[in-house]
Amino acid sequence: MPSIRQLFLSHVAKTNEMPLMLEVDHAKGIFIYDTTGKKYYDMNSGISVSSLGHCHPAVVDAVTEQVQKHMHTMVYGEHIHSPQAKYAGLLTAQLADGLDWVYFVMTGTETVEVAMKMVRKYTGRTEIFSCAGAYHGSTYGAEALRSDIEFTMNFAPGVPGVRHIGFNNEADLEKITTKTAAVIVEPVQAESGVIPPVDDYLIKLKTRCEEVGALLVLDEIQTGFGRTGHLFAHQKYNVTPDILLVAKSMGGGMPIGALVSSEEIFSSMIKKPALGHITTFGGHPVSCAAAYATLSTILDEDLPSKVLGKEKLILEQLKHPIIREVRSSGMMMAVELTKRKYLKHVVAKCMELGLIVDWFLFNDRSFRVAPPLIITDEQIVEACSILRKAMDYAEEKYN
């Protein structure tokens, strides 16, 4: 009988030539355990998914209760499912007026696909802007929003009508005109290595969109649900989008995503043609039940208010000669090193020492620190001690 590792290597498709090969046995709280019993601090949260940690009791209980009632019954928008309706009510109660309708999908990249269709349908325009260095997903439409031609050329031609502006570049705002349907932007650029907005950039972007009748779509797939120290980053940076995209930590580990907008904008997808977008598993009742438990826990425990204190503690603990800079927005952090060659050795040594950090897609000098929001101060100190040991190793061996 082949082992699980052998089955993985022989039959599971890979996305790169060197997968991490961490054989997971179970996970609890901020820790992941492999099949040998070794414990790893999860300082990556599955790329900002496990904000409540792993197997949070409230989420597990909600999933267990719902699967005993029913799972899939009909594609999205035809049957009334209590978990969908309850969650939509709870989510929109936390948001500004105009963000009061929710369309459920399965993943973050699908929210982007729907948004690209919806802004063109609603405005009657075709031009869409995204920012250079942004990442909005890997499906065909979402991929077209990427600016790095060395990657996208391998899948060309892409979706027509997409253009790019520089994030935090006020001069580029003039490129947004009455031909523009929408600007799709991350409030904090994630895969470029955590680049927050400066000088009220998002407010100025929103103003420009209003001037020319374009929609502002904020991709809060990574920043949402407390990660930046506010429930949503757009609340932190004082701007309200026309369309909000959420996913990742939304489901507490279950797959789910959503678009939030107004009845007026969503209604453009109901007719001419009908069924402007349909998704078989969007709003799956088990995922919605998990999402309701996740958001309820975040609110009941007021986790966003505790993020900034934990961010400060991490910044105090992450002091080392090979650190050039730490960029952060709450517990969404990029640790930039003084030499590119240090990076792979720090990441690998962390794994050896029992701690998981991750790379960025578009920044080869920085590693990602994005622990579960439930991490304690004591765990932060312990995890940062391991990080410093990994950096000691890289400095001594490769200086």
Side-chain angles (χ1 to χ4, degrees):
M1 179 70 181
S3 69
I4 295 298
R5 182 173 290 260
Q6 289 169 330
L7 289 169
F8 172 83
L9 291 170
S10 299
H11 301 293
V12 177
K14 317 300 185 295
T15 54
N16 66 76
E17 294 178 331
M18 297 180 64
L20 290 174
M21 298 293 291
L22 173 61
E23 190 169 346
V24 177
D25 181 76
H26 65 283
K28 187 73 173 176
I30 72 160
F31 298 108
I32 296 174
Y33 298 82
D34 70 16
T35 52
T36 71
K38 182 177 177 179
K39 179 175 73 174
Y40 297 82
Y41 285 82
D42 185 2
M43 297 296 282
N44 178 38
S45 301
I47 310 183
S48 300
V49 168
S50 304
S51 289
L52 293 185
H54 299 281
C55 293
H56 191 284
V59 178
V60 172
D61 288 347
V63 168
T64 302
E65 181 180 350
Q66 183 58 43
V67 296
Q68 294 173 339
K69 293 180 178 179
H70 67 85
M71 290 184 272
H72 176 79
T73 65
M74 182 58 178
V75 295
Y76 177 81
E78 297 295 329
H79 290 182
I80 298 174
H81 289 160
S82 173
Q84 282 183 7
K86 287 176 61 179
Y87 182 74
L90 180 63
L91 176 61
T92 56
Q94 316 309 317
L95 299 169
D97 291 344
L99 295 174
D100 41 30
W101 272 37
V102 181
Y103 186 86
F104 292 105
V105 294
M106 285 297 293
T107 67
T109 193
E110 191 182 1
T111 69
V112 177
E113 295 286 335
V114 179
M116 292 178 72
K117 294 167 68 175
M118 191 157 63
V119 298
R120 285 176 165 175
K121 180 70 163 53
Y122 178 74
T123 65
R125 306 173 184 179
T126 58
E127 182 180 73
I128 296 174
F129 276 99
S130 62
C131 286
Y135 176 73
H136 297 285
S138 287
T139 49
Y140 199 64
E143 201 77 83
L145 299 177
R146 281 173 64 154
S147 62
D148 52 328
I149 188 64
E150 289 186 7
F151 185 94
T152 57
M153 66 184 291
N154 296 293
F155 307 107
V159 175
V162 175
R163 301 180 62 196
H164 298 99
I165 54 176
F167 188 73
N168 283 329
N169 186 331
E170 291 184 31
D172 274 3
L173 298 181
E174 294 302 314
K175 296 178 181 179
I176 304 166
T177 70
T178 53
K179 296 179 180 179
T180 307
V183 181
I184 302 177
V185 62
E186 304 161 283
V188 178
Q189 281 205 311
E191 296 306 322
S192 284
V194 185
I195 312 296
V198 297
D199 298 328
D200 293 327
Y201 172 74
L202 293 178
I203 295 173
K204 295 168 183 175
L205 173 59
K206 172 69 172 179
T207 299
R208 180 58 179 171
C209 287
E210 290 176 337
E211 289 172 352
V212 299
L215 299 179
L216 177 61
V217 181
L218 284 188
D219 173 349
E220 292 230 39
I221 293 164
Q222 283 201 48
T223 57
F225 301 101
R227 176 61 54 186
T228 67
H230 285 61
L231 189 59
F232 294 100
H234 72 266
Q235 297 165 336
K236 178 175 185 173
Y237 297 111
N238 300 309
V239 62
T240 300
D242 298 294
I243 302 172
L244 173 66
L245 311 182
V246 291
K248 286 196 179 293
S249 64
M250 177 179 176
M254 292 292 289
I256 189 170
L259 300 89
V260 190
S261 189
S262 66
E263 178 180 3
E264 178 184 350
I265 292 174
F266 273 124
S267 293
S268 67
M269 298 290 281
I270 292 176
K271 56 186 178 181
K272 296 182 181 179
L275 308 177
H277 188 87
I278 52 176
T279 173
T280 298
F281 293 109
H284 193 285
V286 178
S287 291
C288 285
Y292 185 89
T294 299
L295 181 54
S296 296
T297 301
I298 290 171
L299 296 173
D300 291 346
E301 298 184 6
D302 196 17
L303 291 180
S305 71
K306 302 170 185 177
V307 164
L308 297 183
K310 294 177 181 180
E311 174 190 24
K312 181 180 178 182
L313 179 57
I314 294 173
L315 293 174
E316 290 171 351
Q317 291 289 316
L318 282 183
K319 305 291 186 183
H320 197 277
I322 72 167
I323 293 177
R324 170 176 287 168
E325 178 186 22
V326 181
R327 295 178 299 277
S328 64
S329 182
M331 284 203 290
M332 181 177 182
M333 299 181 167
V335 181
E336 183 162 322
L337 305 178
T338 54
K339 296 179 182 179
R340 185 179 293 108
K341 66 180 181 181
Y342 289 145
L343 183 60
K344 65 179 181 180
H345 303 296
V346 170
V347 173
K349 192 64 175 179
C350 280
M351 283 289 289
E352 181 184 323
L353 296 174
L355 185 141
I356 299 170
V357 291
D358 192 37
W359 319 81
F360 290 99
L361 288 177
F362 310 135
N363 188 309
D364 60 3
R365 283 183 177 270
S366 304
F367 62 85
R368 185 194 322 264
V369 175
L373 305 187
I374 61 167
I375 192 170
T376 66
D377 288 356
E378 181 182 5
Q379 290 167 340
I380 287 173
V381 172
E382 292 169 352
C384 288
S385 175
I386 296 172
L387 280 167
R388 291 195 302 271
K389 289 177 183 176
M391 288 185 280
D392 285 343
Y393 169 80
E395 182 183 32
E396 292 169 6
K397 192 169 182 65
Y398 299 99
N399 205 3

